[in-house]
Amino acid sequence: MSNKITHSGTVKSIMDGCIKVQIVQTSACAACKVASHCNAAESKIKIVDVFTTDTASYQVGQEVTVWTSKDVANRALLLGFGAPFLLLVCVLMIALKLTSDEGLAALVALASLVPYYLALWAMKNRIQQQIAFNIEK
């Protein structure tokens, strides 16, 4: 079993060591023969940034394959969804114990996400180096 997640895409722009690649993210049932008659089938257009020093090898409009490892994808999911969920639940439980007011506890729990996402934004350059896509040659 491969440890890579790959997507086919099209180079949309190239500048300053960053290649923007447009990929079409499809649901598992989008390839089904009756997908056009079903509301469950969907696809989304995403733009991913690929940082490389070899930008001269690529041209706008070129078809490429971008990839990342499953470990990187899991790390991204943990930072984007797992850690905030755990923070939210933990702060909610602590606030409920301290105040016994469900409304206030819910507001405090939601407010606890603001510093978390601000910290993620402040560390975006460091995170960007750890969570990155590559272009397959």
Side-chain angles (χ1 to χ4, degrees):
M1 199 155 109
S2 176
N3 192 31
K4 285 167 74 170
I5 298 171
T6 61
H7 289 285
S8 296
T10 307
V11 174
K12 286 296 172 188
S13 69
I14 302 169
M15 68 173 88
D16 299 330
C18 177
I19 301 173
K20 293 194 179 289
V21 179
Q22 177 181 309
I23 61 172
V24 178
Q25 184 181 21
T26 57
S27 64
C29 57
C32 177
K33 292 179 182 177
V34 293
S36 62
H37 304 290
C38 177
N39 290 333
E42 64 179 48
S43 63
K44 296 178 186 175
I45 295 175
K46 306 259 182 171
I47 303 288
V48 296
D49 294 337
V50 179
F51 296 96
T52 181
T53 56
D54 187 23
T55 57
S57 301
Y58 304 99
Q59 297 176 353
V60 174
Q62 180 179 353
E63 294 292 320
V64 295
T65 301
V66 294
W67 67 273
T68 192
S69 71
K70 288 184 180 178
D71 295 336
V72 168
N74 289 338
R75 189 177 309 133
L77 286 172
L78 180 67
L79 286 174
F81 298 106
F85 175 74
L86 288 175
L87 176 66
L88 184 77
V89 170
C90 290
V91 170
L92 179 64
M93 294 300 149
I94 292 168
L96 275 173
K97 287 282 187 188
L98 294 176
T99 66
S100 299
D101 183 358
E102 290 178 0
L104 180 62
L107 288 174
V108 169
L110 287 173
S112 72
L113 295 177
V114 172
Y116 175 78
Y117 283 113
L118 284 174
L120 276 184
W121 179 78
M123 296 187 308
K124 67 182 173 189
N125 291 333
R126 184 175 174 204
I127 293 169
Q128 195 173 51
Q129 293 171 357
Q130 295 176 356
I131 298 174
F133 281 92
N134 301 298
I135 294 182
E136 219 170 63
K137 296 192 179 209

